[in-house]
Amino acid sequence: LQWQAQVIWFSLEAIWSLPTAQGIIEALILVILASPLVPWARWYNGDHTLNQVLVSVALAFPITITAFFAFLHLQGDAPAEATPGGDAIHSLLSH
């Protein structure tokens, strides 16, 4: 769960700081390439069952996305100009 959450969080930060088509594509490539590495190793080594790995992946996405947007919302007092992509995220969160 921790690995999945980190990969997703870093991808969301990349999209947030570079909200362009290229930035989004690069972040999605990162998720697609990096996400399976640790869960596969945990399954392959017998540390977790396949069901445990699938559940952790399924839980990581909504938990991390919710935490990321909560972080951005709580950081809302900071001026939008101080953070890259801040204007776009601020307009998303204010609706």
Side-chain angles (χ1 to χ4, degrees):
L1 183 66
Q2 179 184 4
W3 172 251
Q4 295 300 319
Q6 286 177 326
V7 169
I8 296 165
W9 187 281
F10 291 145
S11 298
L12 289 170
E13 282 187 349
I15 291 170
W16 178 48
S17 64
L18 187 60
T20 63
Q22 180 181 352
I24 292 170
I25 290 169
E26 289 173 359
L28 291 175
I29 289 171
L30 171 67
V31 169
I32 291 167
L33 293 178
S35 287
L37 297 177
V38 170
W40 173 82
R42 303 295 256 156
W43 170 77
Y44 183 78
N45 290 332
D47 295 329
H48 296 296
T49 65
L50 181 60
N51 286 342
Q52 289 172 325
V53 169
L54 294 176
V55 167
S56 69
V57 170
L59 289 174
F61 277 92
I63 290 170
T64 306
I65 291 169
T66 302
F68 184 78
F69 282 106
F71 170 76
L72 291 179
H73 182 70
L74 293 173
Q75 191 182 14
D77 293 340
E81 302 85 33
T83 53
D87 291 331
I89 297 299
H90 180 69
S91 67
L92 273 173
L93 294 175
S94 64
H95 288 56

